[in-house]
């Protein structure tokens, strides 16, 4: 089995475990001195356009989680971003998401991507579901080991 199939199968299992409408995996792309992310593996998407979106570090849901290295819970998108601000969050707009959780993906102590779970109804992403997403990301996905370096 190649890694592409492995990643896709794993995000489908995560989607099933969360009972979410969508699971998306954004990975860092090689770029000249910039960190850019692209949604590469998606399960439950309604638009293929999301795979064409390029995210800058610090921008959008994935860019913010990537830059901060911390999970994000948005129980209700309408309380998180004004309607006219949704263009800054392309996955929310293109996939009509109303509730999301995202966690950084680690490999060898570095953030290399973002795993996002989402629902098309508000308040379905809960702290409990976000914890499941985090636990599943920490067990490694595809070739990523899920290991965050701990400094003691």
């Amino acid at each position: 089995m190649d890694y592409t199939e492995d990643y896709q199968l794993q995000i489908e299992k995560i989607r099933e475990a969360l009972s979410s409408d969508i699971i998306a995996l954004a990975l860092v792309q090689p770029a000249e001195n910039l960190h850019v992310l692209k949604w590469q593996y998606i399960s439950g998407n309604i638009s293929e356009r999301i795979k064409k979106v390029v995210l800058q570090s610090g921008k959008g849901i994935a860019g913010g989680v990537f830059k901060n290295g911390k999970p994000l819970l948005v129980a209700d998108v309408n309380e998180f971003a004004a309607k006219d601000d949704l263009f800054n969050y392309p996955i929310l707009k293109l996939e009509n998401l109303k509730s999301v959780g995202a966690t950084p993906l680690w490999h060898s102590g570095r953030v290399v991507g973002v795993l996002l779970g989402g629902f098309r109804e508000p308040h379905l992403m809960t702290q409990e579901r976000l914890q499941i997403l985090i636990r599943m990301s920490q067990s490694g996905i595809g070739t990523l080991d899920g290991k965050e370096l701990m400094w003691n």
Side-chain angles (χ1 to χ4, degrees):
M1 178 187 317
D2 72 21
Y3 290 122
T4 301
E5 288 177 24
D6 194 29
Y7 281 100
Q8 194 63 41
L9 283 172
Q10 285 183 280
I11 66 165
E12 286 170 14
K13 285 181 185 172
I14 294 168
R15 182 172 165 226
E16 191 175 302
L18 285 179
S19 301
S20 64
D21 292 323
I22 188 172
I23 292 288
L25 173 63
L27 295 172
V28 173
Q29 303 298 301
E32 294 275 327
N33 302 319
L34 295 171
H35 290 296
V36 295
L37 298 150
K38 282 187 84 172
W39 296 109
Q40 286 189 268
Y41 302 97
I42 306 173
S43 176
N45 52 312
I46 55 176
S47 170
E48 285 300 312
R49 289 177 51 204
I50 196 62
K51 290 183 178 180
K52 294 181 174 125
V53 173
V54 176
L55 307 156
Q56 303 294 323
S57 175
K59 305 285 186 199
I61 300 278
V65 170
F66 175 81
K67 184 177 179 183
N68 298 327
K70 293 183 172 36
L72 173 69
L73 172 64
V74 178
D76 186 345
V77 165
N78 293 329
E79 294 171 6
F80 174 74
K83 279 220 185 306
D84 57 353
D85 193 35
L86 281 180
F87 73 92
N88 287 317
Y89 305 96
I91 195 164
L92 300 181
K93 190 148 180 70
L94 289 171
E95 293 297 326
N96 195 27
L97 299 178
K98 303 296 183 206
S99 179
V100 297
T103 188
L105 288 175
W106 296 87
H107 184 71
S108 300
R110 297 182 69 145
V111 178
V112 295
V114 173
L115 183 65
L116 176 138
F119 296 89
R120 294 187 177 94
E121 295 293 325
H123 303 288
L124 292 180
M125 180 54 78
T126 61
Q127 191 61 46
E128 292 75 24
R129 281 186 166 135
L130 180 60
Q131 290 306 314
I132 293 168
L133 191 70
I134 292 167
R135 274 197 308 278
M136 293 184 95
S137 75
Q138 289 171 339
S139 63
I141 295 176
T143 58
L144 308 178
D145 61 22
K147 303 288 184 273
E148 179 179 354
L149 288 183
M150 297 293 170
W151 303 100
N152 292 332

